[in-house]
Amino acid sequence: SEMDSADYTLLVVDAARKLDVDMERTLVTLMFLALRSRGRNELGFRAGEKNPTAAENDPLNKFAVVMNKVDLVNPKEKLLLSVSHVGSMAESVIRQLLHQRRNPAKVRLGDLVDTVIKNHLDEEGFENIHEDDIEMFTAVAPQFLFTSAITKDDEGVDNVLGLLLHRATPSKNWIIDAESATGMSPIEQVEEIIREKIYRCLHREVPHSVQQQNRMFRLIEPKRKESDPVDEEKNKILRIHQDLVVKTKSHQRLVLGSGGKTLERIRSTAVRDLEDAFGCVVDLNMNVRVSKLNQDVTLETDIEGAKTFTI
């Protein structure tokens, strides 16, 4: 994910919304991803590729939690309870990663998340922390900021900007050259555009549970005749097949919508943005399926045509 190359992560939490189990799992998962991030590299290596600029024993990267819409929380004691709840989850995540560093073992991310959800309310202080890790545990604990962006002079927003400026580090070179609109690959652009439409068309915890799996990414060029004009861009067709993978049949029904209307709304709105991004006709086919193994899936990028397509 893009978080793997992030130097610093802000987790924005809707303070006015009750944290249900699905939201807790989402937050804990993002905390793990943020803390396991390798940070920015100067050579433009993508996630999964070896980054020679990264130190072998980099400390856990820090992250901050932004509690947004605090003006809607009354009484304010509820806000303190929410901060305590999110903070206990963050501390439990740090405990798990410190334990993993001292006792390396292959553990699924989902299992780590389950452990945090189960135990975080029962853990306190430096419990289960090795004495040599106490200083790191304290340093990695996230900072909390509070925002209510309903007025231009909101101090919370200034605090967030100040934190980001403080955390900013110098870079030797720009990873993206001046002529490039994005540093993402074509497949990643497809994923981001469809992901945005998923969030716009679905609500509550459902969009957080939807994962994407690419099945086809192929640019089809029509056979040219000598009499055809040189510029044939508009006649090219980019064919994309993508699965939306969910873990329950109830989520599958929600993503499909009545008569498939929700899925069609996701598809049709995504097509418009995809055609603008790639400058050609896009044939987007989408399918919703339930993961039989209930395991995480990844977007497949090593597909014929994915690496050769240029914008």
Side-chain angles (χ1 to χ4, degrees):
S1 71
E2 291 299 319
M3 289 181 68
D4 191 59
S5 58
D7 287 330
Y8 198 70
T9 301
L10 290 181
L11 296 182
V12 182
V13 179
D14 186 344
R17 176 180 173 182
K18 183 179 179 181
L19 288 177
D20 55 26
V21 175
D22 289 310
M23 184 56 67
E24 285 182 350
R25 291 189 62 84
T26 298
L27 279 174
V28 170
T29 300
L30 291 174
M31 289 175 184
F32 272 115
L33 293 175
L35 291 174
R36 291 166 62 174
S37 168
R38 294 180 176 273
R40 184 193 65 221
N41 66 81
E42 298 293 346
L43 300 180
F45 284 80
R46 296 192 178 279
E49 297 178 332
K50 186 176 181 181
N51 174 12
T53 65
E56 291 296 327
N57 296 307
D58 278 343
L60 297 174
N61 290 333
K62 295 180 181 180
F63 67 94
V65 178
V66 179
M67 304 296 291
N68 192 30
K69 301 182 182 178
V70 295
D71 58 299
L72 300 180
V73 182
N74 288 297
K76 295 306 178 185
E77 286 76 9
K78 289 184 178 181
L79 179 60
L80 296 178
L81 291 175
S82 296
V83 171
S84 176
H85 192 79
V86 176
S88 69
M89 290 191 294
E91 290 181 353
S92 184
V93 168
I94 298 169
R95 285 188 183 89
Q96 289 296 318
L97 288 186
L98 289 175
H99 178 75
Q100 286 291 311
R101 286 163 67 93
R102 289 197 169 273
N103 304 278
K106 290 185 177 180
V107 183
R108 290 181 63 250
L109 177 59
D111 293 336
L112 291 173
V113 172
D114 289 339
T115 300
V116 169
I117 298 298
K118 179 181 178 181
N119 298 332
H120 75 94
L121 292 177
D122 298 325
E123 299 172 322
E124 295 182 357
F126 299 121
E127 183 179 348
N128 299 323
I129 301 295
H130 191 280
E131 60 180 7
D132 293 337
D133 291 334
I134 291 178
E135 183 177 352
M136 179 175 287
F137 177 81
T138 304
V140 175
Q143 180 177 349
F144 278 77
L145 299 101
F146 305 90
T147 59
S148 175
I150 57 174
T151 59
K152 294 182 179 180
D153 58 349
D154 177 54
E155 294 181 357
V157 175
D158 290 337
N159 292 336
V160 172
L161 293 175
L163 172 65
L164 294 177
L165 287 172
H166 176 72
R167 293 286 309 188
T169 56
S171 176
K172 296 179 182 178
N173 299 294
W174 296 105
I175 294 178
I176 303 175
D177 59 66
E179 290 74 26
S180 298
T182 177
M184 293 188 293
S185 70
I187 287 286
E188 289 170 331
Q189 291 182 66
V190 171
E191 179 186 16
E192 287 297 312
I193 289 173
I194 295 177
R195 170 62 56 181
E196 179 203 349
K197 306 310 175 186
I198 291 172
Y199 274 93
R200 287 185 180 275
C201 297
L202 299 172
H203 306 286
R204 298 182 66 82
E205 80 282 355
V206 179
H208 300 284
S209 65
V210 177
Q211 299 184 63
Q212 298 160 257
Q213 191 167 39
N214 200 70
R215 293 300 184 188
M216 178 184 292
F217 184 97
R218 184 173 302 163
L219 182 64
I220 301 174
E221 301 187 45
K223 294 182 180 180
R224 285 185 55 197
K225 299 179 181 179
E226 293 183 1
S227 58
D228 290 338
V230 176
D231 186 9
E232 291 282 326
E233 287 296 325
K234 293 185 178 180
N235 293 328
K236 293 180 180 179
I237 298 176
L238 178 59
R239 185 154 293 159
I240 302 169
H241 290 187
Q242 190 167 109
D243 284 351
L244 302 184
V245 185
V246 295
K247 295 183 178 180
T248 66
K249 287 190 174 296
S250 61
H251 281 177
Q252 183 185 40
R253 289 192 294 269
L254 290 171
V255 176
L256 286 170
S258 177
K261 291 181 179 179
T262 301
L263 181 63
E264 175 56 26
R265 186 162 66 251
I266 294 171
R267 191 201 69 81
S268 60
T269 53
V271 165
R272 290 196 292 267
D273 286 359
L274 289 168
E275 290 182 341
D276 288 341
F278 295 107
C280 66
V281 175
V282 173
D283 177 19
L284 176 60
N285 180 278
M286 301 181 69
N287 177 55
V288 185
R289 64 181 178 86
V290 178
S291 176
K292 295 180 179 179
L293 299 179
N294 201 28
Q295 294 179 342
D296 294 341
V297 298
T298 57
L299 186 72
E300 298 174 5
T301 57
D302 191 14
I303 295 178
E304 181 182 357
K307 293 185 176 180
T308 57
F309 185 90
T310 55
I311 303 172

